[in-house]
Amino acid sequence: MNSPDVATDTAEQTAQKLLEETDSRTRTYTGAIGVAVTVLLCVWTAFQLYFSTVGIMSAVNLRAFHTMFLLLFTFLLYPAHKGERRIRRFPPAYDIALIVLAVGAFGYFVAAYTGIARTGGRVNTAQLVVAAVALLVVFEAARRTSPNLAILAAIFLVYNCFGQWIPGQLGHNGFTLKRVLITQFWGTQGILGVGVGVSATYIFLFVVFGAFLKHSGFSQFINDFSLTLVGQTPGGPAKVAVLASALMGMINGSAVANVATTGTITIPLMKRTGYKAEFAGAVEATASTGGQFCPPIMGAVGFVMAEFLNLSYTKVMVAAILPAFLYYLGILMSVHFEAKRLGLSGLSKENIPHALTVIRKQGHLVLPLAALIALMLLGFTPLLAAVVAIFVTIGASWLRKETRMTADKILAACVEGARGAIGVGISCVIIGVIIGTVTLTSLGLNMGYLILRVVPDNIYLTGLLVMIMSTILGMGVPGVAAYVIVQAVAVPVLIKVGIMPVAAHMFCLIYACLSNITPPVAISCYVAAGIARANQLKTGLIAVRLGLIGFLMPFFFLGNPVLLIGADAAYSAATTLWASLTASIGTVALVAGLEGWLVGKANAVQRVLLIATAPLFLYPGVLTDGIGFAALAVVIVWQLCKKKTAKSSPERTIV
C-alpha cells in the first residue's frame, strides 16, 4: 500500500504533466541562454512594477512594451510544435527571426505612434506592412499558448473582410484591408487596446503577487488553517479543498493552475477519506473556478470590470460578495451532504494541526492580504496596493525563520510570476482582434438587435441566450480573457433589455468563468480528473451539479439586483439582509435535493420538493418566501418523524 507521501508525489507529477499539456509545455534552456532568460524575466518584473506605479509612461507605450516582452518570452519558451525537444542550449533560428520581427514591429510602434496620432491616423504603405507583421506574430504567439482563442480571433478577423457577404443583421458594408490594419494595430481598439492594457497592469501584478505568496508559504498556511476549521467535520478534507481553493483561486486568477497546485494535496486526501475519484476531482475543479469571481481580489477580473463600469473597485467587490458566498455555500453543503449520505467522517484529531499553533507559526503570512485589502478600502489604486503587498510579503516572511524568503526564493517568485503571466497576457493581446472587430463592424450591436428580435422584451430568455453565448466563448480561455470577450459582445445585449450595467457585467463574468467546468471542454475538470485518475466526462458532469447554484443564481439578479449588494441604492440594508438569508436557505435546499440528504436521507418526493423550493427562496418576495418556508418545513418534519420512527422501532435480528 502506498504511503500518503508517495501518493502526493505521484499526484504532483501527474498535475505538472497535465498542466504542461494544457498550457503548452515550455522549453528549458541550459548554459548562458538559461541564465539570460532568467535575468530577462526578472528585468520584465522590475519594469512592470516600476511603470505600473511610480514610473511615467503613456498607457499605449506601456502596452506596446508589455506586448514586446510577451512575444519575446513566448517565442523563447513556447515550442512551435509538440514534437520539438524541450531542453535546449539555443532557441531555433525561426524563433529568433520571430523575436526580431516582434521587437521591430512594436518598437517601431513606440517610435512612430505619436507622429501618426498627430496626423489623425494617416499611415503609409510601410506602416501598413508593420501592422501586418505585428498581427502575424501575435497570431503565431496565440497559436502556441491559446490555440482555441487564436482560431476564434482568426474567424473574427476574416469577418472584417468578408462580413459584407453575410446576409441579414450580422452582415456589414465591408472594410478595406487598410482600414482593418489601422484599427487592429495603429488604433487603441485592437491588439493594443483594453485587453493588453489589463494584462500590463492588473493581471501581471497580481500574478506576481500570487507567486510571492506561494513562495512565502501562504498556500501551506491556508491548507493548515482550513484543516483546523473544518478538518474534523464530516467530509472535512473536501471542505478544506473548497476553502483553500477559493482563497488561492481568487489570488492567482487561473482555475487550471489552482487545480494543479492545491489539487495535488486535496484530491488524494479526499479519496483516502472515502470520496469517489470523480467527486473529489469535481470538488477541486469547481472550487478553483469560483475563485475568479470571489472577493476581495477576484483573480484581477474585478479590477477589469471596475474599469468597464467606470466604478470604484470597492463597489464591484461588494456586489460580488453574495454571489460568491452562495456559490461556495453550495459546494460546502454538497460535500457535507455527500459525506453524510456515504457515512464519511472527518480526519482524526491527531491529524489536525492545533489552531493556535498554526496562527502562531504562520499567521503573519496573512499580513500581505490584509495590507492589500486595507489599502484598497482606503482609496489607493489596486496597482499601488498590489506592489505594496508584494513588498509586505517579503517583509512578513522575515518575521519567522521558517518562512523567510531568501534571495533564491525572491528570484524564483519573480521568474514564476513573469512566466505565469505569459499565457494569459498573450490571450489578452489576441482578444484585441475580437474587440477591434466588434468595435469596427458594430457586431455587438447587431447581435443585440438579432437577439432582441428573437426574444423581444424578455430579460430571462435574453439571459438564457447570453448564458449560452458566454459559456461557448469562454471555453478553453483564461478567466480574464473570457470575460473581456464576453462583455464586448453580450453586455450591450443585456443592457438593451433594461438590465442594470453591474448586473449585466456580473452575469457575463460568472458564466465566462463557469465555462471552465462546463462540458465538453471543462478544462479545469480535465486537469482535476487527471490528478484523481478519474473519468473526465463524469468529473465534468459532477462539477456542474456541484456548481449548479452558480449556473442558476445570475438569472435571479437580472430583474431584481438585490442579490448584488450595493448595486441598487433603492434597497435598504434590512431588505438586502433578508434576501441574503433566504437565498442562502434556497441554496441549501437546492443542494439537499440534488444530493438526496437534508436532516436525513431524502426520498424522491422530498428531493423534488427541495429542488422546487430553491427558486422560491432565491426570488425575493414575501409570497415566494412564505411558500418556500412552508414546503421546507414539510420536508424537515417529514424527515424528523421518519428518523424518530426508525429509532423507536425494534431492531430485527437476522439469524
Side-chain angles (χ1 to χ4, degrees), residues 128 174-184 440:
L128 289 177
F175 302 96
T176 63
L177 180 61
K178 179 179 179 180
R179 178 80 179 276
V180 173
L181 290 174
I182 291 173
T183 300
Q184 295 292 354
L440 180 63

Side-chain angles (χ1 to χ4, degrees), residues 32-252:
I33 297 296
V35 174
V37 169
T38 299
V39 171
L40 283 172
L41 286 167
C42 292
V43 168
W44 185 27
T45 302
F47 173 88
Q48 294 288 162
L49 292 176
Y50 178 73
F51 283 106
S52 294
T53 50
V54 297
I56 299 174
M57 181 182 289
S58 67
V60 70
N61 282 347
L62 178 62
R63 295 173 184 182
F65 277 112
H66 182 72
T67 305
M68 264 193 272
F69 277 114
L70 287 171
L71 293 170
L72 167 66
F73 290 116
T74 299
F75 296 132
L76 279 176
L77 299 176
Y78 285 78
H81 53 85
K82 290 183 179 180
E84 182 186 310
R85 59 189 176 91
R86 302 296 188 260
I87 301 176
R88 321 180 59 99
R89 287 184 58 84
F90 300 99
Y94 53 80
D95 277 338
I96 295 175
L98 286 170
I99 290 170
V100 171
L101 289 174
V103 172
F106 286 92
Y108 182 78
F109 176 91
V110 172
Y113 179 77
T114 302
I116 291 174
R118 286 173 180 169
T119 64
R122 295 177 183 175
V123 298
N124 55 38
T125 303
Q127 290 162 343
L128 289 177
V129 172
V130 171
V133 170
L135 273 175
L136 288 173
V137 294
V138 165
F139 268 97
E140 171 58 17
R143 183 191 68 81
R144 299 187 187 193
T145 59
S146 304
N148 293 337
L149 192 52
I151 293 171
L152 180 63
I155 293 171
F156 274 80
L157 187 62
V158 169
Y159 174 77
N160 281 287
C161 300
F162 298 99
Q164 57 188 318
W165 286 290
I166 298 177
Q169 196 74 49
L170 294 181
H172 58 71
N173 294 328
F175 302 96
T176 63
L177 180 61
K178 179 179 179 180
R179 178 80 179 276
V180 173
L181 290 174
I182 291 173
T183 300
Q184 295 292 354
F185 183 71
W186 290 109
T188 56
Q189 297 294 328
I191 58 177
L192 292 175
V194 64
V196 71
V198 169
S199 174
T201 51
Y202 302 114
I203 294 175
F204 188 92
L205 290 184
F206 279 91
V207 169
V208 172
F209 177 48
F212 271 84
L213 283 179
K214 174 185 173 183
H215 284 274
S216 72
F218 180 77
S219 55
Q220 185 60 48
F221 165 68
I222 292 300
N223 276 301
D224 291 344
F225 190 66
S226 299
L227 278 173
T228 67
L229 292 177
V230 294
Q232 289 183 272
T233 63
K239 294 173 185 175
V240 170
V242 175
L243 295 177
S245 298
L247 289 169
M248 290 306 298
M250 72 176 179
I251 295 169
N252 63 29

Side-chain angles (χ1 to χ4, degrees), residues 297-443:
I297 299 178
M298 300 175 68
V301 181
F303 305 118
V304 185
M305 185 185 295
E307 292 283 335
F308 286 135
L309 288 167
N310 197 25
L311 292 174
S312 71
Y313 174 67
T314 304
K315 291 185 177 180
V316 173
M317 178 179 69
V318 171
I321 288 174
L322 190 54
F325 172 77
L326 295 177
Y327 181 81
Y328 281 104
L329 176 64
I331 304 174
L332 283 170
M333 296 310 299
S334 292
V335 299
H336 178 75
F337 290 145
E338 180 75 3
K340 298 290 285 185
R341 189 177 65 82
L342 297 175
L344 304 180
S345 59
L347 296 174
S348 58
K349 189 175 181 179
E350 57 268 20
N351 290 324
I352 304 293
H354 195 274
L356 292 178
T357 303
V358 172
I359 293 172
R360 187 177 68 253
K361 289 185 176 181
Q362 300 169 279
H364 59 285
L365 296 175
V366 81
L367 287 175
L369 200 57
L372 177 75
I373 297 169
L375 287 170
M376 289 193 296
L377 292 178
L378 288 172
F380 291 95
T381 66
L383 299 180
L384 180 62
V387 174
V388 171
I390 289 171
F391 286 102
V392 171
T393 303
I394 299 172
S397 73
W398 276 71
L399 294 177
R400 291 192 68 88
K401 184 179 178 180
E402 296 81 3
T403 60
R404 188 171 297 167
M405 290 188 72
T406 60
D408 288 344
K409 288 186 177 181
I410 294 173
L411 179 67
C414 289
V415 171
E416 184 177 320
R419 289 177 70 111
I422 297 171
V424 178
I426 290 295
S427 296
C428 289
V429 176
I430 196 66
I431 62 174
V433 174
I434 298 172
I435 295 173
T437 299
V438 170
T439 303
L440 180 63
T441 64
S442 299
L443 179 62

Side-chain angles (χ1 to χ4, degrees), residues 458-477:
N458 190 310
I459 62 173
Y460 297 107
L461 286 177
T462 303
L464 179 63
L465 293 177
V466 170
M467 179 198 77
I468 295 170
M469 180 168 59
S470 300
T471 306
I472 293 172
L473 289 175
M475 286 183 176
V477 179

